[in-house]
Every structure is written in C-alpha cells, then in structure tokens.
Amino acid sequence: LGFSGSNLARRCLELGAAVTVYDCLDPRSGGNMHNVQDIAGSLQIVLNDIRNFEGVSAAVLHQDVIFNCAAYTSHPNSMREPLIDIDVNCKGVINLLEAARRFNPELKFVHIGTSTQTGKMLFSPVDEKHPEFPMDIYSANKGVSEKYVLIYGSAYKMRTTVVRLANVFGPRSNIKSPEFGFMNYFVGLGLQGRDLPVFGSGAQLRTITYVEDCVEALVAAALEPRSEGEVFFAVSDRQYSVAEIAAGISEHIGGKVKFLDWPADRKAIEIGDAVISNRKIKEALGWSAKRGLAEGLVKTKDYFSGCLPKYL
C-alpha cells in the first residue's frame, strides 16, 4: 500500500494478474489506503506484518511472484531505532524467504534493494560490483537482506532477483516526511508553496528514476528468466545535483529553494555523489528509463493536485 507497491499493483492488474497486497500500515512507513482506493475491489488486501511468519506463510500460498517492497525506509530513523530496522529489513525478509522456501518454492522472488547500500563512491559510475561500505543502519540492513535473497536462490534453487532503486519519485509517494527520501518530501513542500531546504551547496549528484520506470524494471525482472540470481541497478541515464532537483521541483511544482547549513545527523551519513550505471539491466533485460525529471515532475503534480489532503 506504499509508494512502489501501489504503483506496481496497478501495473500488474493491467497485465492481467491476480494481485494480493500485503501491508501493515505502520505510520512510520509509506502505506496509504488512498493509493489503491479506486482499484481496491480488484485486489486482495491483507493487513498484516512481514514480521508475522504465519501471516506471511498464508499469503505466499498459490502465488507465482512475490515483489518485496516492504521496508523500514528511513536513514535517520535507522540510526535512532536500529533494532526496529533489523526486525523489518532483516528478520522480515527472512520470514518471506523462509515462507516461500517451505510452502511455495517455485515462485519468483523479486526484492527491492537500494543504491545507498554501496556507501561512498570508490569509482564512477557505481555498478553492481562496487564494494559496499554503507553509511547508515538502513543501508547496511538492506545490503544484508539482499544477500539473504541471493543465498536462498543459490542454496535452495529458488528463482530470486534483486532490483536496486535510487531516488524514486512520482505519484503515490509519501510526501509529508523527509524520512522517505528528499525528492518526494520536496514535492510535498512545493505543492504547499513552502521552502525547499538544500543542505550546503547541494552540489552532490544523484541518479533519479520516475516510479513508472521503476515498475517496468520490476515487472521485467519478474518475467525474464535471465534475471534469476542477479542484482540490477534500475536507474535513469543521467544525474542531477540536489540543487538542480530542488530547482526543478520549484519550477514545475512550487516552492522556493533555500540553502541551509548541514545538520550534524544528516552530515554524518551523507554519501556525497552517487553516479550509477544502468548498463547491466539494459543489456540483460532490455529495460531503460523513459521519463526525465521535468516530465516526471509534471505528472507528479498532476496526480497530487487532485488529492493533496490525502497525503498531508
């Protein structure tokens, strides 16, 4: 019921799938019933937690594909509440994998990873073979859970794939809190005509991707046998500085860019530039991002303009 999952559920319905959505609606996560309000009658919605092994086990029965979009996603909160992050991002993923292994080992398991698990760039562009030295607990646990997925695939001959995402933006995102990514938070501020806070000069580069492109990457990973046992970065072709992203949001959505000094807690986990290669997923799955920053921001504004109170 969160950002990636609800957009993915829509696409799977369009492709003719029977879709089950599993979510606990934890207020510290991104779940929002409005994300599926207009399609709820076409879904099976299970309100439960991935930390509940019995609930997960029941949900994986008779499924052909699992897309694991569930995560405790806040970088700062993972430093304040590391045990909760471990419970969701590590133990929860083991629950999913173990339930699949025991009760439906033939399914395809597509797991969402994150670009931030690599940490600071040691070479550019970052690719799937880049060493991992994460800067925060969330990123570390996402790296660990990715390894769980690959281990289950290798050890138990399960069909597993990891798709790493980076700075995904678009409709149905959580736009009311900075804990769910700066881009979508800036979108929310812009929609309210508020200042967009950029720390330092904002010169650090970010690779971004519009959510519809991410959904197509996840679907491609589910359908293509060549994805099995592999890790892919699903990102767009170009990078923007944080300041450029903020300026684009100001231009196409609203708000005014305001440069501020770095808060100590944010500076401590800042990774610097993040320039990421999408070569592997292009070659293996034939996927590439089709929507740029400006087009994505216009479509994002069009969506939220009609339902903003549901997201604030």
Side-chain angles (χ1 to χ4, degrees):
L1 296 172
F3 176 32
S4 299
S6 62
N7 283 285
L8 177 61
R10 291 172 177 275
R11 182 60 179 142
C12 290
L13 286 175
E14 290 173 358
L15 293 170
V19 180
T20 299
V21 175
Y22 188 101
D23 200 301
C24 68
L25 288 176
D26 187 325
R28 295 166 297 189
S29 190
N32 188 332
M33 286 300 299
H34 185 76
N35 284 341
V36 298
Q37 183 179 24
D38 58 325
I39 59 169
S42 301
L43 302 169
Q44 179 182 359
I45 298 175
V46 178
L47 296 180
N48 210 327
D49 198 305
I50 63 167
R51 293 172 290 185
N52 182 319
F53 183 72
E54 290 75 19
V56 166
S57 298
V60 305
L61 294 174
H62 313 301
Q63 307 294 345
D64 299 306
V65 182
I66 290 177
F67 294 99
N68 181 30
C69 308
Y72 186 65
T73 59
S74 170
H75 299 265
N77 275 354
S78 77
M79 303 297 288
R80 294 188 288 265
E81 300 179 321
L83 297 180
I84 294 175
D85 197 279
I86 290 170
D87 277 347
V88 176
N89 292 333
C90 293
K91 294 180 181 178
V93 176
I94 286 288
N95 273 347
L96 282 170
L97 289 165
E98 189 62 13
R101 183 187 72 85
R102 293 187 193 182
F103 306 117
N104 192 356
E106 300 302 316
L107 58 71
K108 180 70 175 279
F109 194 108
V110 180
H111 178 75
I112 291 183
T114 175
S115 63
T116 62
Q117 66 195 60
T118 59
K120 293 185 177 181
M121 284 200 310
L122 300 182
F123 56 79
S124 181
V126 171
D127 62 17
E128 291 80 2
K129 295 182 179 180
H130 191 284
E132 296 180 28
F133 296 99
M135 299 287 289
D136 61 271
I137 297 298
Y138 162 75
S139 299
N141 287 335
K142 287 295 286 184
V144 170
S145 64
E146 172 183 297
K147 305 308 180 290
Y148 296 156
V149 172
L150 298 175
I151 288 168
Y152 267 72
S154 174
Y156 301 120
K157 309 304 178 188
M158 293 171 60
R159 298 185 297 138
T160 62
T161 302
V162 177
V163 179
R164 294 179 183 172
L165 304 179
N167 298 300
V168 182
F169 71 104
R172 303 178 185 87
S173 56
N174 187 311
I175 58 171
K176 67 180 179 181
S177 170
E179 307 297 344
F180 301 94
F182 84 94
M183 277 197 73
N184 294 310
Y185 179 54
F186 280 11
V187 165
L189 295 175
L191 288 165
Q192 299 171 76
R194 297 169 60 186
D195 288 342
L196 314 180
V198 174
F199 301 138
S201 66
Q204 66 271 37
L205 296 174
R206 291 292 181 266
T207 305
I208 64 163
T209 316
Y210 186 61
V211 67
E212 288 181 12
D213 288 320
C214 293
V215 164
E216 294 303 327
L218 293 168
V219 170
L223 295 177
E224 176 53 66
R226 287 180 294 177
S227 72
E228 291 163 18
E230 299 290 344
V231 176
F232 301 98
F233 277 114
V235 297
S236 61
D237 290 329
R238 65 158 295 184
Q239 294 77 38
Y240 301 84
S241 71
V242 171
E244 286 177 315
I245 293 169
I249 291 171
S250 176
E251 176 184 356
H252 296 288
I253 292 180
K256 182 180 179 181
V257 179
K258 184 176 183 179
F259 292 92
L260 303 173
D261 292 336
W262 276 98
D265 61 336
R266 291 281 182 166
K267 186 65 174 177
I269 60 175
E270 168 60 29
I271 63 170
D273 290 343
V275 178
I276 302 169
S277 170
N278 57 18
R279 179 177 177 179
K280 182 178 178 180
I281 194 169
K282 280 185 172 181
E283 293 179 351
L285 305 186
W287 174 91
S288 62
K290 296 180 173 59
R291 299 152 187 92
L293 178 63
E295 179 187 355
L297 290 175
V298 170
K299 295 181 74 169
T300 300
K301 182 179 182 180
D302 288 345
Y303 173 78
F304 282 113
S305 294
C307 56
L308 186 58
K310 300 291 186 180
Y311 292 88
L312 295 178

